[in-house]
């Protein structure tokens, strides 16, 4: 048995904001992927994955919902026969490792599933997101369902609001100097504690005002610029966003990177922002000159995501 491939995702813009209904833009990231496989002799990672699937099966079997049903008997038989999720997507890095797994389980075991080949109306997209939210909550406590949606459709997704999502066309990559890249913090981040910090901060009126005004407005401007290829304007807005995140989301930025973050803003060599919930994993970088950014960040591992 070997299932189809499901890819990692990168939330370019919208981390935390989408919890509070501002815009977001997520793109598939094909450098990392996963697929369902099976083996008679499970060891190491494959064995752990198989045990996780067993727990996930129990979670899905106990779900009280009428929006989705699964062929649970087949799922259980496959787990007993050594099924596991073979994935190169790093866990705790903000690139959707559980999202790809959820997409693969839905694809294989959902009865009456919505397929990628259908005309994906807004209602179908929202239903998929709702199903994926339910499924992925097993991993994160509370999930928006966006990561599995991105992985399942393998398309860029524009989140206008909780009730309005659509596939988005992003400009094709150019062979320019500018780039979006990943910076490896070499620390594992956990989603749930970070979201809890954010929710506690939201109890503060000043923080709420900053999110609904400055943060949402700047994020929306970045998304508009990115989708329309307004590169000059984009970098000005990304710099503003980088400053806002440094000032207001310090607990989500690993301490070792506070100075690195400041340095990018001061030199304009690159601008950093959170990738996912933060706390570790990848940090997302934007630069007008990738070679310059590489020199500035020569002590760190960088991965290219997109070229301007």
């Amino acid at each position: 048995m070997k299932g189809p491939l499901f890819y990692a995702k990168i939330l370019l813009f919208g981390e935390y904001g989408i919890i509070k209904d501002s815009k977001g833009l997520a793109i598939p990231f094909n450098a990392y992927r996963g697929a369902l496989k099976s083996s008679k002799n499970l060891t190491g990672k494959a064995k752990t994955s198989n045990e996780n699937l067993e727990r996930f099966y129990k979670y899905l079997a106990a779900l009280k919902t009428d929006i989705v049903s699964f062929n649970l008997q087949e799922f259980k038989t496959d787990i007993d026969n050594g099924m596991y999720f073979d994935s190169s997507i790093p866990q705790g890095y903000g690139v959707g490792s559980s999202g790809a797994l959820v997409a693969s389980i839905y694809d294989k075991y959902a009865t009456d599933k919505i397929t990628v080949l259908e005309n994906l109306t807004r209602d179908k997209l929202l239903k998929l997101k709702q199903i994926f939210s339910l499924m992925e909550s097993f991993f994160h406590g509370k999930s928006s369902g966006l990561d599995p949606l991105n992985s399942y459709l393998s398309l860029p997704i524009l989140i206008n609001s909780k009730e309005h999502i659509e596939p988005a066309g992003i400009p094709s990559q150019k062979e320019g100097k500018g780039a979006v890249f990943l910076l490896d913090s070499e620390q594992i981040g956990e989603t749930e504690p970070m979201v809890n910090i954010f929710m506690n901060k939201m109890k503060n009126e000043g923080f709420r005002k900053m999110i609904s005004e400055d943060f949402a407005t700047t994020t929306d401007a970045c998304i508009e610029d990115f989708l329309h290829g307004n590169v000059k304007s984009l970098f000005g807005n990304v710099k503003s966003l980088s400053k806002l995140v440094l000032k207001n989301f310090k607990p989500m930025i690993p301490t070792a990177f506070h100075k690195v973050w400041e340095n990018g803003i001061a030199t304009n060599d690159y601008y950093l922002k959170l990738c996912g919930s933060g706390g570790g994993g990848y940090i997302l970088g934007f630069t007008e000159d990738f070679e310059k950014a590489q020199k500035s960040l020569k002590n760190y591992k960088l991965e290219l995501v997109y070229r301007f």
Side-chain angles (χ1 to χ4, degrees), residues 5-26:
L5 289 173
F6 289 92
Y7 296 108
K9 75 87 193 53
I10 290 172
L11 185 63
L12 279 184
F13 300 105
E15 68 291 341
Y16 290 107
I18 55 172
I19 298 177
K20 290 292 147 202
D21 235 14
S22 69
K23 280 189 179 177
L25 179 65

Side-chain angles (χ1 to χ4, degrees), residues 150-170:
N150 201 282
S151 194
Y152 186 63
L153 300 179
S154 213
L155 292 168
I157 291 170
L158 174 63
I159 302 105
N160 292 298
S161 68
K162 280 197 182 84
E163 297 304 313
H164 185 192
I165 50 176
E166 57 187 328
I170 62 171

Side-chain angles (χ1 to χ4, degrees), residues 258-276:
H258 289 180
K259 282 273 180 283
V260 182
W261 203 288
E262 284 165 10
N263 187 51
I265 294 166
T267 59
N268 295 315
D269 286 356
Y270 56 87
Y271 307 122
L272 301 180
K273 64 180 290 298
L274 295 174
C275 179

